[in-house]
Amino acid sequence: MSDVRHVLVLPDRDAAQEAAEALAERFGIDEEPRLVRDALAGEDDAEDAQWLVVLRDEHERLDPGALDAFAGEWDGWREEP
């Protein structure tokens, strides 16, 4: 089994939560993605933070291009490993 992870970078918490909820429906993932606040350098305000949606893909069945397009629906992107 592989330990492949995908990281979607989204502009705010609301977008991250919406995307995380939509992942199961769109891609049929079993495990709930993890949401992580990623503060920009030198910023303490939550408004200036990006949010990461981290999901495991042990069987490497998720298409990176499809995940990037999916994140783009919320003005985000998939971070390359």
Side-chain angles (χ1 to χ4, degrees):
M1 215 180 295
S2 152
D3 190 28
V4 173
R5 295 180 193 271
H6 298 282
V7 177
L8 308 181
V9 181
L10 298 162
D12 57 47
R13 183 180 189 152
D14 290 339
Q17 288 176 325
E18 289 175 23
E21 291 171 7
L23 277 166
E25 183 178 318
R26 179 89 53 95
F27 294 98
I29 61 169
D30 297 329
E31 185 177 324
E32 186 171 332
R34 190 168 49 107
L35 300 179
V36 179
R37 180 178 176 266
D38 184 33
L40 300 174
E43 298 294 334
D44 292 328
D45 188 356
E47 296 298 317
D48 293 324
Q50 295 174 326
W51 282 79
L52 309 178
V53 177
V54 181
L55 59 144
R56 289 179 26 178
D57 185 16
E58 293 177 349
H59 303 291
E60 298 184 45
R61 62 181 186 88
L62 298 174
D63 175 39
L67 288 172
D68 191 38
F70 175 81
E73 295 175 23
W74 285 274
D75 296 323
W77 64 91
R78 179 185 159 273
E79 190 69 28
E80 289 294 327

